[in-house]
């Protein structure tokens, strides 16, 4: 995932709602309870961990039972210390005191609560990249030093792998063509990190790597669920049983959910976006442009997917009076730079969301060379009266501008190919007139039409017209 190109925009829940979600996550709520429980008699070791003798009491407070109760209590205590809910008062004595952050959970703003949760998330992500404790114990040499080579563990590589998986999960979730709020199969996530994009049929070696990655991710997502990052359906234990063992119940080998399913929670979307921004990625959120000018809106949504662009524009319009908004949009749509055609397309789409109150703004630009065409389209679509017919030069200029915008937005898409075929079919003398159009993108548009049109004769006409246009422009 490149950090140079922006990711699709994410639709975040309100911070107040996310803060409530954070406070109700099992891990942070346990950490807060332990922080309030800690007192003068609480003791920690040199690493800040709750001493072993006090773990049973902590587990009982949290209502934890079973073999893993002490481990879960220890994890919650570690989060309490790392997030500042608890502070080490005296390292030598091993005493503790309530941390400054504890008061923020009840008296702070939603953003303060989320900041505490983000710190908790970092603690869990670090834990998730560490091998199983039994493996680490086995890697100790006689002097008590840890031999990382014996457990085949590279801390940086492990953290990078998990970051990559979470980045792909984020991308799948925000992409309008992805599963959205639905779960993602664990094998698909593992394969996204292992299988090369240009590989047809994965080799047995690659499939084995995917299987190993799935098992690692199964352990990691089990750790990440209590902090509220994901909702996770673990890998079916029957899949990991010995091949000689008979399954306890009939199994459906075609049920992909048996191999693990994971989805980001709304809180998880917030957390991963925060981490992506911290790492230098461009990770926009719908609503980021609501308080910006129309120029920022049109440029910012230029390459947004359609639904996200509409949602962003609706939020922008909601803060403005319709007539003033229409005038601001039209002013921002002017220009002869390479991004101008796409700005005008986004302007036209934004104006489609504005009511009849915007009509005066559209009539004011009817004689404008750059905006007169889209103004006529807007007025005609709403059945307005006294709309002057466009001149032939305006029609051709608007056509070139529209194709240039589509090229910038979608590249050589099927929709653009159909538009090109339609234009050539409807206007028999299109190319003989189009090369004369005084538009900065005329030559580029005609070259694209020559590249996209399936009829060789018409494509040749388009290329000849493009050559004339470029000669006319002095290029």
């Amino acid at each position: 995932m490149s950090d140079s190109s922006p990711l699709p925009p994410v639709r975040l829940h309100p911070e107040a709602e996310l803060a409530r979600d954070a406070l109700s996550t099992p891990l942070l709520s346990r950490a807060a309870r332990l922080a309030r429980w800690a007192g003068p008699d609480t003791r920690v070791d040199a690493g800040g961990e709750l001493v072993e003798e006090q773990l049973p009491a902590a587990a009982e407070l949290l209502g934890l039972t079973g073999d893993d109760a002490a481990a879960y209590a220890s994890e919650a205590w570690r989060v309490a210390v790392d997030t500042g809910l608890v502070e080490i008062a005296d390292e030598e004595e091993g005493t503790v005191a309530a941390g400054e952050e504890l008061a923020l959970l009840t008296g702070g703003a939603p953003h303060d609560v989320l900041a505490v949760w983000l710190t908790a998330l970092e603690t869990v992500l670090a834990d998730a990249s560490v091998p199983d404790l039994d493996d680490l114990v086995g890697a100790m040499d006689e002097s008590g030093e840890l031999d990382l080579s014996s457990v085949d563990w590279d801390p940086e590589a492990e953290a990078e792998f998990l970051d990559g998986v979470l980045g792909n999960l984020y991308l799948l979730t925000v992409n309008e063509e992805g599963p959205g709020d639905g779960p993602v199969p664990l094998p698909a996530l593992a394969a996204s990190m292992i299988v090369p994009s240009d590989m047809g049929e994965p080799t047995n070696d690659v499939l084995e790597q995917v299987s190993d990655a799935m098992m690692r991710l199964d352990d990691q997502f089990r750790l990440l669920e209590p902090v509220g990052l994901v909702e996770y359906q673990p890998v079916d234990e029957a899949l990991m049983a010995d091949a000689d063992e008979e399954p306890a119940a009939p199994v459906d080998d075609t049920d992909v959910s048996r191999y693990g399913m994971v989805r980001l929670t709304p809180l998880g979307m917030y957390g991963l976006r925060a981490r992506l921004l911290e790492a230098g990625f461009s990770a926009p959120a719908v609503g980021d442009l609501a308080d910006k000018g129309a120029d920022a809106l049109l440029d910012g949504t230029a390459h947004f997917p359609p639904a996200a662009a509409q949602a962003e524009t609706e939020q922008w319009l909601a803060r403005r009076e319709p007539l003033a908004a229409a005038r601001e949009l039209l002013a921002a749509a002017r220009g002869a730079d390479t991004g101008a055609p796409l700005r005008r397309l986004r302007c036209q789409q934004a104006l489609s969301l504005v009511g009849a109150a915007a009509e005066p703004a559209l009539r004011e630009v009817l004689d404008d060379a750059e905006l007169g065409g889209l103004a006529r389209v807007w007025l005609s679509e709403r059945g307005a009266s006294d709309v002057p017919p466009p001149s032939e030069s305006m029609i051709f200029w608007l056509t070139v501008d529209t194709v240039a915008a589509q090229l910038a937005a979608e590249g050589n898409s099927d929709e653009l190919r159909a538009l090109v075929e339609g234009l050539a079919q409807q206007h028999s003398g299109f190319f003989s007139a189009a090369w004369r159009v005084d538009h900065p993108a005329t030559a580029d548009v005609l070259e694209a039409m020559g590249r996209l049109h399936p009829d060789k004769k018409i494509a040749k006409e388009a290329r000849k017209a493009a050559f004339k246009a470029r000669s006319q422009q002095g290029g």
Side-chain angles (χ1 to χ4, degrees), residues 6-13 18 170 174 269-270 273-274 277 281-292 297 300-301 304 308-309 311-313 315:
L7 295 165
V10 59
R11 302 190 197 197
L12 296 176
H13 288 205
L18 293 171
Y170 180 91
V174 299
M269 294 294 293
Y270 172 88
R273 176 177 181 259
L277 291 173
F281 287 85
S282 176
V286 172
D288 282 352
L289 305 174
D291 59 350
K292 304 290 194 300
L297 175 72
T301 59
F304 275 21
E312 184 71 57
T313 303
Q315 290 198 29

Side-chain angles (χ1 to χ4, degrees), residues 75-228:
E75 179 188 32
W77 178 262
R78 188 164 56 255
V79 167
V81 173
D82 288 351
T83 55
L85 302 180
V86 170
E87 293 178 354
I88 310 300
D90 188 322
E91 291 187 7
E92 291 187 4
E93 295 292 329
T95 56
V96 299
E100 294 182 1
E101 307 299 315
L102 183 59
L104 294 179
L105 297 188
T106 52
H111 187 77
D112 298 324
V113 173
L114 290 169
V116 173
W117 177 81
L118 285 170
T119 306
L121 175 62
E122 291 303 320
T123 295
V124 179
L125 287 170
D127 288 346
S129 298
V130 176
D132 183 83
L133 182 59
D134 292 337
D135 292 339
L136 289 180
V137 172
M140 294 281 188
D141 59 24
E142 293 180 359
S143 65
E145 294 293 322
L146 187 61
D147 180 12
L148 295 182
S149 62
S150 67
V151 290
D152 191 26
W153 177 51
D154 180 340
E156 290 187 9
E158 196 70 29
E160 186 177 324
F161 177 81
L162 183 56
D163 282 344
V165 168
L166 293 176
N168 286 349
L169 180 58
Y170 180 91
L171 190 58
L172 283 168
T173 307
V174 299
N175 196 318
E176 289 187 2
E177 296 178 358
D181 293 335
V184 177
L186 194 61
L189 264 186
S192 73
M193 295 295 295
I194 304 295
V195 182
S197 58
D198 58 351
M199 177 176 281
E201 190 72 23
T203 63
N204 288 336
D205 180 58
V206 168
L207 290 174
E208 185 175 347
Q209 292 180 51
V210 171
S211 180
D212 290 343
M214 283 174 54
M215 293 303 99
R216 286 158 61 197
L217 290 173
D218 182 60
D219 290 336
Q220 290 170 328
F221 283 130
R222 288 172 192 256
L223 286 174
L224 294 171
E225 187 172 35
V227 78

Side-chain angles (χ1 to χ4, degrees), residues 211-272:
S211 180
D212 290 343
M214 283 174 54
M215 293 303 99
R216 286 158 61 197
L217 290 173
D218 182 60
D219 290 336
Q220 290 170 328
F221 283 130
R222 288 172 192 256
L223 286 174
L224 294 171
E225 187 172 35
V227 78
L229 184 74
V230 296
E231 289 180 3
Y232 183 55
Q233 177 181 326
V235 175
D236 188 345
E237 296 289 345
L239 294 171
M240 294 179 276
D242 291 338
D244 296 334
E245 292 183 12
E246 286 291 330
V251 294
D252 180 3
D253 291 332
T254 64
D255 181 7
V256 70
S257 67
R258 297 179 62 225
Y259 296 87
M261 302 289 285
V262 61
R263 64 176 288 272
L264 279 179
T265 64
L267 185 61
M269 294 294 293
Y270 172 88
L272 289 191

Side-chain angles (χ1 to χ4, degrees), residues 51-61 70:
V51 294
E52 190 172 347
E53 306 86 72
Q54 295 188 341
L55 283 174
E60 183 180 359
L61 173 80

